[in-house]
Amino acid sequence: PGKYVFRVTNENVPYELGFWLREKDYDWRNPLHHVNKLSVSGGGLEKGQTKDYTVELKPGDYLYSCPLNTTPNYRLVVSE
């Protein structure tokens, strides 16, 4: 657990990419999750661009992916 910076770079993809990190059970359609669940996202990563995403993670399961590309949901586990 703690504060982390995720540095995301679009190295060689010729179109815009993004980044989305959220709690495993986060559902963007649920308004309560917008208030009490972690979700950090951003787009606009054109070829060669880098963005940093700073987040405080508590113990638990998280998923991250690129919502603008066909990537799977990768699992991230934060433990004490």
Side-chain angles (χ1 to χ4, degrees), residues 3-77:
K3 186 176 180 179
Y4 291 88
V5 176
F6 290 84
R7 178 162 288 148
V8 182
T9 301
N10 179 344
E11 290 190 357
N12 291 309
V13 179
Y15 51 86
E16 179 184 348
L17 297 179
F19 176 72
W20 186 24
L21 171 69
R22 68 266 186 209
E23 290 184 50
K24 183 178 178 183
D25 60 349
Y26 182 86
D27 182 351
W28 63 270
R29 297 165 296 208
N30 184 333
L32 292 177
H33 286 194
H34 293 266
V35 176
N36 62 13
K37 297 279 184 187
L38 177 92
S39 175
V40 176
S41 63
L45 286 164
E46 298 293 339
K47 185 176 177 182
Q49 289 186 317
T50 298
K51 285 190 179 180
D52 289 347
Y53 299 88
T54 303
V55 62
E56 182 89 22
L57 297 178
K58 297 177 182 176
D61 287 345
Y62 299 86
L63 299 174
Y64 66 96
S65 62
C66 172
L68 304 175
N69 198 13
T70 54
T71 60
N73 291 317
Y74 294 99
R75 184 175 179 218
L76 173 68
V77 177

